[in-house]
Amino acid sequence: TGYEREYKMDSEKWKSVAVPIKTWNMLKELSEESDRSIGGQISFLTKQEYLFKRSITKQIDKLQVRG
């Protein structure tokens, strides 16, 4: 076409990841059901897991302090 554009991703803001195709297919299905992009679905699931793990850690810390 004669039209070429150089595009550089901001590596401070975005990262690329490789996942197995089975995982990609699951992500695609989940994202379509939730009306999210694949990246949005990864962000959503990561935040859920992060908050879940942090809440468990805080609960264990409280038990250890009381123990």
Side-chain angles (χ1 to χ4, degrees):
T1 62
Y3 177 74
E4 293 181 23
R5 186 166 106 182
E6 186 175 324
Y7 176 75
K8 293 187 180 182
M9 183 176 72
D10 181 354
S11 62
E12 295 297 316
K13 188 174 179 182
W14 306 99
K15 297 295 179 188
S16 296
V17 296
V19 297
I21 194 67
K22 287 182 180 181
T23 301
W24 174 263
N25 290 333
M26 288 186 282
L27 276 168
K28 186 176 179 192
E29 185 179 324
L30 288 171
S31 67
E32 288 172 353
E33 290 172 0
S34 304
D35 198 29
R36 293 186 182 96
S37 65
I38 298 284
Q41 189 66 32
I42 292 171
S43 294
F44 175 78
L45 294 170
T46 302
K47 288 174 190 173
Q48 275 191 319
E49 183 67 9
Y50 181 86
L51 294 172
F52 176 73
K53 296 278 185 173
R54 293 300 168 260
S55 69
I56 288 177
T57 301
K58 288 179 182 178
Q59 291 172 9
I60 291 171
D61 288 346
K62 287 179 184 177
L63 288 174
Q64 290 176 349
V65 169
R66 292 182 194 161

